[in-house]
Amino acid sequence: MLSIFENKKKNCLQSNYCSTKQKLSIVLSRAEEITKVNGDEGIYDYIRALLYPTMYKYIYDCLTAPNNEAPTLNYEDFWPYENFTGNLQSVSIAEKDKDKYLIKLNKDIIFTNPWNSKGIVSHLGNIGHKVKFNEDVTNHWVVIFYPMRVCFVQNGKHSIAQGILTGEGVLHATSYIDLTEKLNLYSYDGFYWINEKTKKMKHVYNHDFGLVWEVSKLLHC
């Protein structure tokens, strides 16, 4: 027999599951409308809308947490990395191709994951105000995930975060990871990542990434 606490916990989980399942249904329904009317560009706008809150939350967390204690974000927190973490390799971008991978700080989804509050505080009111944001190819390293066009900063986190806050500057991705062939191997059901081959389930770190995973299946890759 379940205790009162266990019953409350079970009811809470069931409620959360229903609410996230409902959100998934709504998001996919709207995504289908968007793709019919405005195609891939409409879907990319939708992806940005879904991930902007989380993108800015990591900057917020850095500015409100004790120094060096801001939450960290890894690749594994983005997508269902259950099986392909070890064999998924980023592809370096050649100098001649760099303009094909332009990242706009005032538009694109870029997870900077800043960790040092003193580092980001020192840039506030400086970059984008007293000095322009300039790409530093020796310091700014960014990987971009396709087909969803979500970027993850590997180096230069704090200055890029400030560039995002002021909406100034562009970067060139240094590498990319193409998840197109993985999209149908995994699904998000509103609560879990599901391996379609093994039916193994894995908890989702951030449900907005799950929404974007499913929405990305509508892109004409």
Side-chain angles (χ1 to χ4, degrees):
M1 184 174 181
L2 295 176
S3 67
I4 294 175
F5 173 78
E6 289 171 328
N7 269 318
K8 285 184 176 179
K9 183 177 179 182
K10 180 181 178 181
N11 291 337
C12 181
L13 287 172
Q14 289 175 338
S15 176
N16 287 340
Y17 182 70
C18 291
S19 63
T20 54
K21 288 276 285 188
Q22 183 182 32
K23 182 183 288 187
L24 174 62
S25 177
I26 292 170
V27 165
L28 288 181
S29 176
R30 288 178 179 156
E32 288 171 0
E33 292 176 20
I34 291 167
T35 194
K36 288 177 183 177
V37 177
N38 292 314
D40 285 359
E41 288 310 310
I43 293 296
Y44 283 122
D45 284 346
Y46 198 26
I47 288 173
R48 283 192 288 272
L50 293 171
L51 289 183
Y52 268 147
T54 303
M55 182 182 89
Y56 279 100
K57 185 179 184 301
Y58 279 95
I59 298 175
Y60 170 88
D61 287 344
C62 184
L63 288 169
T64 57
N67 196 42
N68 299 340
E69 294 184 23
T72 57
L73 184 70
N74 301 306
Y75 287 173
E76 291 82 355
D77 301 325
F78 275 57
W79 318 118
Y81 266 61
E82 174 206 2
N83 285 336
F84 58 78
T85 305
N87 55 34
L88 189 67
Q89 300 296 324
S90 61
V91 178
S92 295
I93 298 170
E95 181 68 21
K96 65 182 179 64
D97 295 325
K98 68 177 185 177
D99 288 340
K100 299 177 184 178
Y101 301 89
L102 190 68
I103 301 166
K104 298 178 180 179
L105 300 189
N106 66 351
K107 178 181 178 180
D108 291 314
I109 292 294
I110 310 161
F111 286 94
T112 53
N113 195 26
W115 53 273
N116 185 324
S117 60
K118 291 181 179 178
I120 193 169
V121 165
S122 68
H123 291 310
L124 296 175
N126 185 31
I127 295 176
H129 298 281
K130 297 177 181 178
V131 297
K132 288 185 176 182
F133 177 91
N134 289 309
E135 180 178 18
D136 181 352
V137 296
T138 64
N139 182 54
H140 292 153
W141 305 345
V142 183
V143 59
I144 183 168
F145 288 85
Y146 284 101
M148 49 284 291
R149 294 184 188 169
V150 172
C151 305
F152 183 90
V153 177
Q154 298 171 297
N155 207 53
K157 300 171 184 289
H158 302 88
S159 56
I160 294 174
Q162 175 62 12
I164 291 171
L165 290 176
T166 59
E168 178 181 281
V170 296
L171 294 169
H172 295 86
T174 48
S175 60
Y176 69 87
I177 294 175
D178 192 345
L179 298 175
T180 302
E181 294 183 0
K182 306 293 183 182
L183 284 177
N184 291 322
L185 294 179
Y186 296 86
S187 63
Y188 166 70
D189 72 345
F191 207 68
Y192 295 102
W193 291 119
I194 301 174
N195 182 314
E196 291 299 334
K197 287 186 176 180
T198 66
K199 301 304 177 183
K200 184 177 179 180
M201 295 182 175
K202 180 182 177 182
H203 282 289
V204 177
Y205 176 79
N206 183 299
H207 290 279
D208 292 335
F209 291 131
L211 296 175
V212 168
W213 184 270
E214 291 302 313
V215 168
S216 296
K217 292 178 180 179
L218 296 175
L219 291 167
H220 297 88
C221 305

